[in-house]
Amino acid sequence: MKNRTFCVANWKMYMNKKSISDFFKEYNTYNLNKNNSNVIFCPSNIHLEYISKNNNILLGSQNVSHFKNGAYTGQTSIEMLKNQNVSYCIIGHSERREFCNEDNWKIKLKFDLIINSNIIPILCIGEKLKDRQNGKVKNILEKQLHDIFINFKDNNKKFIIAYEPVWSIGSGKTANVNTIFETHNIIKSIIKKYSLKNENIYLLYGGSVNEKNAKSISEIDNVDGFLVGSASIKPLSFYKISLTL
Ligand code: PGA
């Protein structure tokens, strides 16, 4: 691990072999030594091997099955991800919560499988717009964190929490600096209750991060990096975002 900061590319279902190859052709021409953060690429599982074979990068998965192994058609197990040299795994992304009906129970099963495999989870949490408008942000985050950490004993393990307000993802509406600062403080105060070690927890912001707003967000005291969606498929934008950390 380079330092405390992370720049995570969430490629969602955007890329194919040709666009991945074009991405790295350009990205690898930039001065990557200038980068001080841990840059992690999360392609679709089907491209994990393809990108790790051709590039020296940190690899993450966008998802994992909540089952350990067995007769579960179409699923990818944590063991399979480990075989592909995955060292990070996103869970609880709002798109999976919304479009794949993932609830906290399933996310907790995934979290435990990941932690027990020595992969670092990137746990996404965040409120919907109506929750923010109704003053429910703390309650929502409390519930999302409680269900994961209530019986969590292994406080020597590292993990990443990505605060991603749902209204900000893919909308071009980045949360403002004060909102991010305040909400990250709320998250820190919630996780304190679970006797986790602060130095093992990294707090990222995600939601319409781009090369224009990255600098001001990176300067917020309690931000340890970014989870980047659409701007991460543009090599120069993603490179510039990573340099702010
Ligand atoms: P976005 O996505 O940067 O396109 O808003 C972020 C995410 O979904 O992780």
Side-chain angles (χ1 to χ4, degrees):
M1 222 177 250
K2 273 188 170 176
N3 66 11
R4 270 203 67 91
T5 58
F6 292 86
C7 195
V8 184
N10 176 8
W11 278 357
K12 308 196 180 190
M13 211 169 66
Y14 289 136
M15 304 286 260
N16 55 37
K17 280 192 178 174
K18 165 87 172 70
S19 50
I20 291 173
S21 157
D22 290 346
F23 178 97
F24 283 110
K25 246 183 236 154
E26 180 180 337
Y27 184 74
N28 289 333
T29 64
Y30 301 133
N31 185 356
L32 302 176
N33 291 328
K34 268 172 86 179
N35 201 306
N36 288 317
S37 64
N38 300 284
V39 177
I40 302 161
F41 287 92
C42 304
S44 307
N45 284 349
I46 199 164
H47 293 134
L48 285 168
E49 186 163 2
Y50 179 68
I51 85 164
S52 66
K53 228 174 34 197
N54 298 312
N55 304 280
N56 183 18
I57 51 159
L58 293 172
L59 205 54
S61 170
Q62 296 175 22
N63 187 30
V64 64
S65 174
H66 59 289
F67 298 112
K68 197 161 184 224
N69 54 38
Y72 302 106
T73 303
Q75 304 251 16
T76 305
S77 74
I78 194 71
E79 194 59 40
M80 293 167 184
L81 295 180
K82 246 195 125 88
N83 287 344
Q84 297 291 332
N85 299 317
V86 161
S87 17
Y88 299 84
C89 185
I90 298 174
I91 47 170
H93 193 283
S94 68
E95 286 154 11
R96 292 205 59 87
R97 290 180 194 258
E98 185 173 349
F99 304 125
C100 305
N101 287 327
E102 284 195 8
D103 55 12
N104 288 344
W105 171 79
K106 238 184 221 174
I107 297 164
K108 164 71 173 161
L109 293 177
K110 294 181 185 208
F111 183 87
D112 289 347
L113 284 171
I114 296 169
I115 282 279
N116 292 332
S117 307
N118 291 321
I119 289 177
I120 298 183
I122 302 174
L123 170 67
C124 300
I125 56 172
E127 80 286 355
K128 295 186 176 152
L129 186 59
K130 71 170 182 347
D131 303 320
R132 182 159 285 278
Q133 286 164 342
N134 295 335
K136 291 259 163 51
V137 175
K138 190 162 183 224
N139 303 34
I140 298 290
L141 300 176
E142 240 160 5
K143 174 83 180 129
Q144 289 174 337
L145 291 166
H146 171 89
D147 290 357
I148 304 302
F149 293 116
I150 181 64
N151 292 318
F152 184 66
K153 300 267 176 331
D154 204 349
N155 66 0
N156 285 319
K157 292 275 169 72
K158 293 189 189 313
F159 56 87
I160 296 173
I161 295 175
Y163 168 57
E164 297 206 305
V166 179
W167 46 271
S168 169
I169 296 174
S171 64
K173 292 185 196 131
T174 322
N176 72 37
V177 167
N178 284 342
T179 305
I180 298 172
F181 178 69
E182 279 166 17
T183 316
H184 278 208
N185 274 345
I186 293 174
I187 294 168
K188 287 200 162 195
S189 74
I190 298 170
I191 48 187
K192 244 192 204 150
K193 294 184 207 149
Y194 300 103
S195 54
L196 306 166
K197 287 188 191 151
N198 242 324
E199 70 264 25
N200 287 339
I201 304 164
Y202 303 84
L203 205 42
L204 313 189
Y205 170 77
S208 297
V209 174
N210 58 42
E211 63 190 83
K212 294 201 181 90
N213 58 32
K215 178 101 183 80
S216 58
I217 304 173
S218 72
E219 285 165 355
I220 306 172
D221 226 23
N222 53 17
V223 169
D224 299 316
F226 303 120
L227 179 53
V228 191
S230 50
S232 72
I233 61 174
K234 301 175 205 140
L236 185 57
S237 298
F238 186 60
Y239 173 69
K240 284 185 176 168
I241 291 169
S242 69
L243 286 190
T244 65
L245 293 164

